[in-house]
Amino acid sequence: MAHTAALHTEKPSKWSGGSSPFKVEYGKLMMWFFLLSDSFTFGGLLISYGTTRFATIGWPDPNVAFNKFPGISGNAPLAFVSLMTFILIISSVTMVLAVQAGKEMNKKDVVRYLILTILGGLIFLSCQAWEWNHLYHEGAWWGANPFANSNGTQSTQNFTNFFFTITGFHGFHVFSGVCINVIMLIMTLCNKFEQRGHYLMIEKAGLYWHFVDLVWVFVFTCFYLV
Amino acid sequence: MSNLEQLESGGHTHAHAFDSKKVKREIWRITLYLSILTVVELLLGFLMMPWPEDSLKRHLVKGVVMALMLWKAFYIIAYFMHLRHEVRNMIMVIAIPCILFVWFISAFLGDGQSYKNLRARMDPYHVEHAQLPMEFPAEEGHEGHETPEVHKMDVPAASPAAAAHSAITDSTKKAE
């Protein structure tokens, strides 16, 4: 016993209490764990999409299915989705800047960048609403696929089913991210974080928002590019 | 009391002595990288657009696009989500479970591929059926569409699918 006690006094373990072994607060660690589990949810969806695609003969060409841009009547593949991608990247950047401003205890900048992030999220959601509406009027919906395979053969409904399920699930994440950011904005304006002495809550909201951007990187590639 | 506060916030209570300008420069640098990678992805997307769907070069470019996707994901996780600057043990706690994705992807995509091959062997009719051109129902709509205009699935004549479709129907007519 005396021996082990001596060991402890010699070199206190990071895990023996009194300190934070990961040097992150509890909430942030739990946010990371949540995002890890959420990435497996999205992974499950995207991999089932990939599996179905690998098991199917022929698949519709995304450049034919998603070829419209609002205000342009002609064929414009990849254009609209690139715009959506850049909107999400930029809103992610403004979120990092908000987190950074929070670390510097700069309330004015936190408010400014949070508003920009929320705006980016709302614009992205509007773009998605436009796209869904357009596709619906083309006759695409869950259980209805008007697009032939890339070689003109009979396609399955899996194409639209997976598209609407996965972009819908992602859009729902964007929506909840916007809600979280609005709550953060209200809390900042009410001086909640100033009273606490830190803006760590913004950091957790930021992690969630970046995750939404991260998932879009995968959705964008898997549905529109390949 | 101060110790308790430290524990609650993981030791991040007080602003660190960091170089704000340096951090911001890093943020903009990563933004630039992400934009460049996205533009390259889009260029590759436009490059492979006219290539035949099952050609080797198209598969290769798709592989490159996938690699660029992972590269972008790394930038977002490492810099925007700040994981790179965390404690090593913390990074491992997040990174190691993600190795499961290697199995997850290879096993399931392989399963899909094998299903397609087995089905083609056991059920040749299925393969023949998959060669039939897509019929565009003229008046038969689906549920959920109330307005009759929506039923007409106008595929613009310029689209390759419609062109392929008409080409196939033409050839079958000629054969008859």
Side-chain angles (χ1 to χ4, degrees):
Chain A
M1 275 307 277
H3 184 63
T4 46
L7 267 181
H8 275 289
T9 46
E10 263 171 31
K11 195 188 173 195
S13 160
K14 273 184 202 163
W15 299 91
S16 57
S19 72
S20 170
F22 283 169
K23 290 209 172 61
V24 291
E25 46 160 341
Y26 174 80
K28 194 169 157 188
L29 187 63
M30 292 305 125
M31 179 52 99
W32 268 108
F33 288 160
F34 165 70
L35 293 181
L36 187 63
S37 74
D38 215 16
S39 69
F40 275 92
T41 312
F42 270 108
L45 282 168
L46 281 169
I47 290 164
S48 64
Y49 158 75
T51 306
T52 308
R53 223 178 133 166
F54 268 63
T56 312
I57 303 172
W59 198 258
D61 186 353
N63 298 318
V64 176
F66 316 115
N67 67 344
K68 285 287 176 289
F69 196 92
I72 297 174
S73 55
N75 190 23
L78 284 180
F80 193 55
V81 74
S82 331
L83 176 72
M84 287 166 78
T85 305
F86 275 108
I87 290 166
L88 217 50
I89 288 179
I90 296 304
S91 83
S92 214
V93 175
T94 52
M95 191 75 218
V96 196
L97 291 171
V99 171
Q100 184 56 28
K103 279 185 189 162
E104 290 163 17
M105 301 294 288
N106 184 344
K107 184 188 158 189
K108 214 181 102 201
D109 270 10
V110 171
V111 170
R112 191 171 64 181
Y113 287 126
L114 269 182
I115 289 173
L116 287 175
T117 311
I118 291 165
L119 274 179
L122 289 176
I123 295 169
F124 180 86
L125 282 174
S126 325
C127 289
Q128 204 168 31
W130 181 86
E131 192 182 34
W132 274 43
N133 182 49
H134 163 73
L135 286 170
Y136 179 76
H137 285 291
E138 292 247 298
W141 201 239
W142 276 278
N145 180 12
F147 308 109
N149 284 340
S150 50
N151 56 358
T153 55
Q154 176 67 48
S155 58
T156 65
Q157 291 167 356
N158 288 329
F159 176 69
T160 40
N161 285 349
F162 275 114
F163 175 80
F164 285 114
T165 305
I166 294 177
T167 58
F169 197 52
H170 175 262
F172 181 66
H173 273 74
V174 179
F175 174 72
S176 23
V178 169
C179 291
I180 290 170
N181 283 343
V182 167
I183 294 168
M184 289 303 118
L185 181 62
I186 293 168
M187 284 172 88
T188 312
L189 289 173
C190 293
N191 279 329
K192 261 268 189 255
F193 303 124
E194 293 282 331
Q195 285 158 19
R196 275 185 205 172
H198 57 76
Y199 279 84
L200 289 169
M201 200 60 120
I202 304 274
E203 231 173 288
K204 285 170 247 174
L207 279 180
Y208 185 80
W209 190 255
H210 297 313
F211 178 75
V212 166
D213 183 27
L214 179 70
V215 169
W216 182 253
V217 168
F218 287 88
V219 172
F220 162 67
T221 313
C222 293
F223 274 101
Y224 297 89
L225 277 174
V226 301
Chain B
M1 191 59 209
S2 69
N3 195 23
L4 185 67
E5 252 175 41
Q6 274 243 310
L7 266 180
E8 276 176 350
S9 63
H12 279 270
T13 320
H14 302 290
H16 299 286
F18 54 74
D19 189 349
S20 168
K21 268 192 181 159
K22 208 177 142 197
V23 173
K24 278 188 182 139
R25 214 179 304 136
E26 186 186 84
I27 293 172
W28 287 114
R29 192 166 52 91
I30 298 304
T31 312
L32 181 69
Y33 292 166
L34 282 175
S35 310
I36 291 171
L37 284 173
T38 309
V39 168
V40 171
E41 277 188 339
L42 288 170
L43 288 178
L44 288 175
F46 280 112
L47 174 75
M48 69 175 167
M49 218 179 269
W51 295 353
E53 187 57 47
D54 280 322
S55 59
L56 178 67
K57 56 179 179 177
R58 189 159 188 163
H59 284 306
L60 284 177
V61 171
K62 280 182 181 181
V64 173
V65 169
M66 289 286 180
L68 292 177
M69 169 183 87
L70 291 177
W71 198 357
K72 275 167 79 177
F74 168 77
Y75 278 140
I76 293 174
I77 296 169
Y79 293 97
F80 282 6
M81 297 172 91
H82 221 256
L83 191 60
R84 211 177 174 189
H85 305 292
E86 301 290 359
V87 174
R88 199 184 132 83
N89 278 347
M90 160 94 193
I91 298 174
M92 289 306 150
V93 161
I94 302 301
I96 289 174
C98 288
I99 297 172
L100 267 174
F101 273 114
V102 176
W103 160 79
F104 200 0
I105 294 168
S106 48
F108 276 75
L109 295 191
D111 192 44
Q113 184 84 41
S114 147
Y115 175 79
K116 182 164 80 175
N117 294 341
L118 282 175
R119 193 175 181 191
R121 209 169 71 206
M122 304 298 179
D123 181 12
Y125 172 72
H126 167 69
V127 181
E128 238 172 80
H129 186 76
Q131 308 303 328
L132 294 175
M134 180 152 168
E135 305 270 325
F136 290 94
E139 212 37 60
E140 255 185 328
H142 20 249
E143 288 163 20
H145 289 264
E146 284 82 32
T147 45
E149 296 92 272
V150 182
H151 292 293
K152 280 184 270 164
M153 289 169 209
D154 296 328
V155 178
S159 78
H165 172 241
S166 59
I168 286 165
T169 42
D170 283 351
S171 63
T172 45
K173 268 178 202 160
K174 269 176 202 161
E176 279 161 23

